Amino acid sequence: MSDEEMFTELYRQNYAAVEAYVSKRTAPSSAPDVVADVFLTAWRRFTDIPDEKELPWLYGVARRMLANDRRSQRRQISLGELLAAQPPALSNERQPDDVIVELDLARAFDGLGDADQEILRLVLWEKLPIKDCALVLGCGTAAARVRLFRARKRLGRLLPQISSARVLSDEGRPRKESHA
């Protein structure tokens, strides 16, 4: 029997039990995604599943997936509360130069590779300590620090290139004459 056939059999025999386990512990809207993640992990780690103990192993994976799902939901709620607590910005507070700088930064960020973007997102958006970033990235803390340092350095090199490219393209535009 091939791995695919054995996995199909594992899925067929255990799907209902895993779905029931997950459904009892999370919102109905989250359950299908968590169950899918459980079986995706089972497929990826198929050789790690102990014989004759497949269901308990799947329950363990489900438990970890549910914990991840709860953390994600808490972060979303916290972010929503944080945003709701912010005073409304006055429309005249942002200056055109601020918008230009933000656009240049976004373009420079888009010019980075996926690995650089991810470490910067984890540190700047998610506000994770570097040791937690290392866990997310599957590397050591020292390696995560090096990745962050290099990502910041690459972003710092890209930003002036983006800004100077914008300035050069602005210089080539014809100016409107004023008839005052």
Side-chain angles (χ1 to χ4, degrees):
M1 195 182 264
S2 72
D3 282 352
E4 188 174 336
E5 292 169 330
M6 289 190 301
F7 178 79
T8 301
E9 186 63 21
L10 170 87
Y11 180 87
R12 188 187 60 70
Q13 289 178 355
N14 296 288
Y15 180 85
V18 171
E19 182 181 42
Y21 178 91
V22 169
S23 295
K24 292 174 192 171
R25 291 164 173 80
T26 192
S29 60
S30 297
D33 290 335
V34 173
V35 172
D37 287 341
V38 169
F39 282 101
L40 177 62
T41 301
W43 174 249
R44 288 182 179 158
R45 299 191 50 211
F46 189 66
T47 58
D48 296 341
I49 302 174
D51 291 334
E52 305 298 321
K53 297 192 185 214
E54 295 90 352
L55 188 58
W57 188 89
L58 290 167
Y59 282 168
V61 172
R63 185 181 58 79
R64 288 185 289 283
M65 294 292 170
L66 287 163
N68 291 343
D69 187 57
R70 281 190 290 277
R71 279 191 294 274
S72 175
Q73 288 175 3
R74 279 196 303 267
R75 279 193 302 269
Q76 288 174 357
I77 290 168
S78 296
L79 180 59
E81 290 170 352
L82 178 66
L83 290 174
Q86 296 296 315
L90 299 175
S91 60
N92 61 358
E93 283 186 37
R94 292 183 71 190
Q95 300 298 314
D97 287 344
D98 295 337
V99 174
I100 291 169
V101 168
E102 289 172 14
L103 288 172
D104 286 348
L105 183 57
R107 285 186 192 110
F109 185 83
D110 287 344
L112 294 173
D114 291 341
D116 288 343
Q117 288 181 5
E118 185 60 17
I119 186 74
L120 290 171
R121 282 184 189 114
L122 290 170
V123 170
L124 300 173
W125 293 359
E126 305 301 330
K127 307 266 189 251
L128 287 180
I130 198 69
K131 67 181 175 103
D132 292 343
C133 293
L135 285 173
V136 171
L137 298 172
C139 64
T141 304
R145 278 194 182 98
V146 169
R147 288 182 188 185
L148 177 61
F149 173 79
R150 290 179 180 164
R152 285 178 171 160
K153 196 171 188 176
R154 284 190 272 272
L155 182 63
R157 281 195 304 257
L158 279 175
L159 195 54
Q161 294 171 6
I162 299 290
S163 297
S164 63
R166 180 186 35 78
V167 169
L168 290 175
S169 69
D170 288 347
E171 289 174 359
R173 290 188 188 145
R175 298 193 192 276
K176 293 183 181 177
E177 293 183 29
S178 64
H179 298 287

